[in-house]
Every structure is written in C-alpha cells, then in structure tokens.
Amino acid sequence: MAIRNIVKEGDPILNKVCRPVEKFDDRLITLLDDMYETMKNSEGVGLAGPQVGILRRLFVIDIGDGVIDFVNPKILKTSGVQEENEGCLSCPGEYGITRRPMYVTVEAYNRFGDRFTLNAEGLMAQAICHENDHLDGILFKEHVIRKTEEL
Ligand code: CO
C-alpha cells in the first residue's frame, strides 16, 4: 500500500464528473487499498477517487467500524434531514454545518465486483452523500449553511 497525494481545492480535477469503474482487477484493489491508507494517514472518514486524481466512480468510508469500499455507487433513496459539522481532506482548515439526508439507501459494488445495498443513517449517510458528491464534481461547501472553525 502507498499513501497518495491528496488533490486540494482549486485543482479543476475536483470539479469533474467521474466515469464508472469498468474493470474489477488488481489495479482497482491496489487503488482502494491506497485510498484507505491515504485517508487513515490524514485521519479522514472518507475519500473519493478524484481526491487522489482518479476520475472514476469509487470511494472508501470508515466511520470507525471498518472500511467499506463503494464502487459505482448509486443512491437509491434518501429521507429525513440532518445538520452536522463537516470538513473535507481536499479543503484543509475549512469546516461548516451542512444540511443532508438523515437516511440513505445506496447500492454499490465491492472490490470484487459483488453488488450490495446498504441502508445508512446519521454519520454514515452524511459521509456517503459527501463522497458521492465528489464523483459529480461537487464539494461539501455547496451544502454548508453555516461555517465553523473546526470539526
Ligand atoms: Co471530501
């Protein structure tokens, strides 16, 4: 595994729409492992492809109970509202309260190409929405309703 460089706000790569992952191969597994190590190294809870310069639809999330790989994710359903503090490894030093769904149903593939469905709530739902936005070139700031000083 290797720590990759995290793309920072201002780099146009963060505003691009990502393409689907087409091949479930060793390169994908290495990428996901590297993304996990990069995220952990920066004490983040999520990291998306474009943040390491890869314009593919994938992200990793670990809110404290183990990493989950999301490849070609699709948010099927959302409900409720939560307003929580948020930041992004691509926007160091910037934080804010965002308004996001409290519940999210997402379908995705794991690193081996097996499809799964996850019903998430709270922080996990917040993280899924945040990372999924990265795949469409959207940063969390677009959802900020009030800036904060720290996480
Ligand atoms: Co982010």
Side-chain angles (χ1 to χ4, degrees):
M1 290 204 276
I3 292 168
R4 302 201 183 195
N5 191 41
I6 297 180
V7 175
K8 298 299 189 311
E9 189 187 14
D11 189 319
I13 203 161
L14 291 177
N15 303 116
K16 293 196 179 348
V17 175
C18 297
R19 291 165 293 155
V21 170
E22 282 162 7
K23 275 190 248 167
F24 290 84
D25 56 8
D26 286 349
R27 275 189 66 186
L28 175 66
I29 288 172
T30 300
L31 171 61
L32 288 164
D33 285 344
D34 286 358
M35 286 171 64
Y36 175 71
E37 193 174 1
T38 304
M39 175 183 80
K40 282 287 161 190
N41 182 59
S42 293
E43 296 175 358
V45 299
L47 194 70
Q51 294 182 275
V52 290
I54 306 292
L55 287 170
R56 292 286 180 178
R57 304 192 76 84
L58 79 177
F59 54 77
V60 296
I61 290 176
D62 183 355
I63 59 166
D65 46 11
V67 66
I68 304 178
D69 302 322
F70 295 81
V71 179
N72 296 339
K74 198 191 288 182
I75 291 177
L76 301 177
K77 202 169 76 177
T78 66
S79 62
V81 178
Q82 59 176 329
E83 293 179 0
E84 292 292 340
N85 204 10
E86 196 166 319
C88 177
L89 294 179
S90 292
C91 311
E94 299 189 68
Y95 311 99
I97 305 291
T98 58
R99 183 174 290 138
R100 294 196 184 273
M102 176 62 92
Y103 303 97
V104 168
T105 300
V106 61
E107 176 187 277
Y109 294 81
N110 68 14
R111 58 177 54 201
F112 306 112
D114 303 315
R115 191 169 63 187
F116 65 94
T117 303
L118 182 71
N119 293 306
E121 65 176 273
L123 176 58
M124 190 66 188
Q126 181 187 8
I128 288 168
C129 292
H130 177 122
E131 301 311 329
N132 196 62
D133 271 352
H134 274 298
L135 308 184
D136 292 317
I138 297 166
L139 294 178
F140 84 104
K141 295 173 161 187
E142 298 193 27
H143 297 278
V144 167
I145 54 177
R146 179 164 46 89
K147 287 190 179 184
T148 55
E149 294 300 313
E150 56 188 358
L151 265 185

